[in-house]
Amino acid sequence: MANDSSQDLGTKPISKLLIRQALPASIGILVMSLNILVDTIFVGNWIGATAIAAINVVLPVSFFIAALGMSIGIGGSSIISRALGANNYQKALKTFGNQITLTLVLTMTLVTVGLLFASSIIDSFGGKGAIFEPAKIYYEIVLYGVPVLALCMMANTVIRAEGKPKFAMYAMMIPSVSNLIMDYIFIYILDYGMAGAAWATTLSYVFCLLFIIWFYASNKSELNLNFSHLGLNFPIVKEISSLGFVTLARQAVVSITYLFMNNILFDLGGETSVTSYAIAGRMLLFAMFPVLGVTQGFLPIAGYNYGAENFHRVRATLNIAIKYAAILASIVFIVLMLFPEQITRMFTTDADVLRQAPNDMRWVFAATPIIAWQLIGAAYFQAIGKARPALLLTLSRQGFFFIPLILILPQFYGELGVWISFPISDVLATIVTAYFLNREIKKNLIPKDV
């Protein structure tokens, strides 16, 4: 029965299969995004607007380390999906064991370094002035839970690669719900302030890991590990690293983007501009959940069928995924263009932020309808194991276009130059991705004669 579930990826109707994979992923991302959104609302209303900026300073550091787990997870899951498609069960097992070992070793090393240089790291990422102290409190507590978060992010992608999206959804929902409950207790009832927000976040990761341990200890998973699978195998580590580096590089660029944005905006507009960016960033995470869900649902289907050499199904999956993601992205665009003022008021009552954030948010989401091509296109190359184009396309938006733009345009247009960099980089990255994806389809996705 367990084997049937992964084999469904190569046999079931693609539209229904994509919905079955994407819906739980979307719900999981929605709940996780709601957690971040509501957490920010709680912090903004119960602690203050500066606390929102403080968390925004810490997130790129903690999420970069945790993204090691996600990158190892996505890199290994691409291997696992293709191995299951090719009926190579032992390679799937060994890959998963190597993912666990790599995640623990790398994240614990980086957390140690992060704690040793906490003050200088916080300052570098824009934790200046009134932002520094609350950021340091949050940073030092949250970082202890980052290896646990990394394990959760890694295992979640593997669960989805097995064709079990509902359990992956549960794994994402558990920390989100528990974090909100503990936010209420630690911040509102016990009045622990930033420390309360940090402990609520850290403990929520533990609940998630406990669920994942239960999943793999039960008969729910096809991957029944033993200790022999944990020993590192160089060819597998190399393959995981080459594919996972795509995700890690993307998160590294995201962290660098936060570093530049927080510092540039602090210099141009102070705490108000940093807070405005934090609110827009939270909405970017939240509002894009259905598009990201389609992308996550697309990955195991494309990877499995590519491994099985069902190229006609890979091509059909690409077309359907782009169509669904584009429709959902357009809906997000309409909502964000119409209601930015009302959305901003959920986060804060600060008059300066209320005056600035809605217009900033419109710029951030201005090119949203076209990003489906960029997200699905980059994900496709990762799913089929082509690390180099996946890396280049993943980095194109922020690394090749956005960061240079935010360094250049403010010199001519001031703070407006920062915000108009968002839609310009989206358009340029989409054009580049569409070109390479179209070339790949014509060259390699040629259906075999049956």
Side-chain angles (χ1 to χ4, degrees), residues 276-288:
S276 176
Y277 173 51
I279 292 172
R282 294 303 177 278
M283 285 309 302
L284 197 59
L285 284 172
F286 169 70
M288 297 307 296

Side-chain angles (χ1 to χ4, degrees), residues 118-192:
S119 295
S120 57
I121 290 173
I122 292 168
D123 182 75
S124 298
F125 277 83
K128 299 177 173 67
I131 300 173
F132 179 81
E133 279 304 321
K136 189 173 182 182
I137 293 170
Y138 191 82
Y139 175 92
E140 291 180 342
I141 296 171
V142 164
L143 223 61
Y144 286 112
V146 165
V148 178
L149 173 61
L151 279 173
C152 294
M153 295 171 80
M154 180 276 294
N156 189 273
T157 63
V158 177
I159 295 171
R160 191 172 290 112
E162 289 188 58
K164 296 179 173 62
K166 287 185 179 179
F167 287 99
M169 175 186 71
Y170 300 150
M172 297 176 74
M173 292 175 67
I174 287 171
S176 301
V177 174
S178 59
N179 186 30
L180 295 181
I181 294 171
M182 287 186 288
D183 263 344
Y184 179 75
I185 295 171
F186 290 155
I187 302 176
Y188 187 75
I189 295 180
L190 299 179
D191 196 25
Y192 287 169

Side-chain angles (χ1 to χ4, degrees), residues 12-235:
K12 297 289 184 181
I14 292 172
S15 290
K16 292 181 180 179
L17 189 61
L18 184 60
I19 292 171
R20 196 187 81 180
Q21 290 286 328
L23 186 59
S26 296
I27 294 172
I29 295 170
L30 169 62
V31 175
M32 184 179 70
S33 303
L34 271 174
N35 166 43
I36 296 172
L37 192 71
V38 177
D39 183 60
T40 307
I41 292 171
F42 285 172
V43 166
N45 285 279
W46 295 340
I47 302 177
T50 303
I52 298 177
I55 293 177
N56 201 53
V57 167
V58 174
L59 278 181
V61 182
S62 61
F63 266 68
F64 171 71
I65 300 174
L68 275 169
M70 178 179 285
S71 62
I72 292 167
I74 290 177
S77 294
S78 173
I79 302 170
I80 290 171
S81 290
R82 286 178 282 121
L84 291 173
N87 294 315
N88 192 345
Y89 183 65
Q90 284 305 311
K91 185 174 183 180
L93 280 174
K94 191 64 178 175
T95 300
F96 184 38
N98 277 229
Q99 287 175 287
I100 294 172
T101 303
L102 283 172
T103 300
L104 284 172
V105 171
L106 293 176
T107 57
M108 292 179 73
T109 300
L110 282 180
V111 164
T112 301
V113 174
L115 290 170
L116 286 174
F117 299 98
S119 295
S120 57
I121 290 173
I122 292 168
D123 182 75
S124 298
F125 277 83
K128 299 177 173 67
I131 300 173
F132 179 81
E133 279 304 321
K136 189 173 182 182
I137 293 170
Y138 191 82
Y139 175 92
E140 291 180 342
I141 296 171
V142 164
L143 223 61
Y144 286 112
V146 165
V148 178
L149 173 61
L151 279 173
C152 294
M153 295 171 80
M154 180 276 294
N156 189 273
T157 63
V158 177
I159 295 171
R160 191 172 290 112
E162 289 188 58
K164 296 179 173 62
K166 287 185 179 179
F167 287 99
M169 175 186 71
Y170 300 150
M172 297 176 74
M173 292 175 67
I174 287 171
S176 301
V177 174
S178 59
N179 186 30
L180 295 181
I181 294 171
M182 287 186 288
D183 263 344
Y184 179 75
I185 295 171
F186 290 155
I187 302 176
Y188 187 75
I189 295 180
L190 299 179
D191 196 25
Y192 287 169
M194 289 301 295
W199 279 116
T201 299
T202 299
L203 292 174
S204 70
Y205 302 155
V206 175
F207 287 118
C208 179
L209 184 61
L210 290 174
F211 171 80
I212 288 170
I213 291 172
W214 166 82
F215 174 81
Y216 284 107
S218 66
N219 294 322
K220 306 294 183 183
S221 173
E222 298 177 46
L223 301 175
N224 300 312
L225 291 178
N226 57 52
F227 284 106
S228 68
H229 298 127
L230 299 175
L232 294 178
N233 177 283
F234 180 73

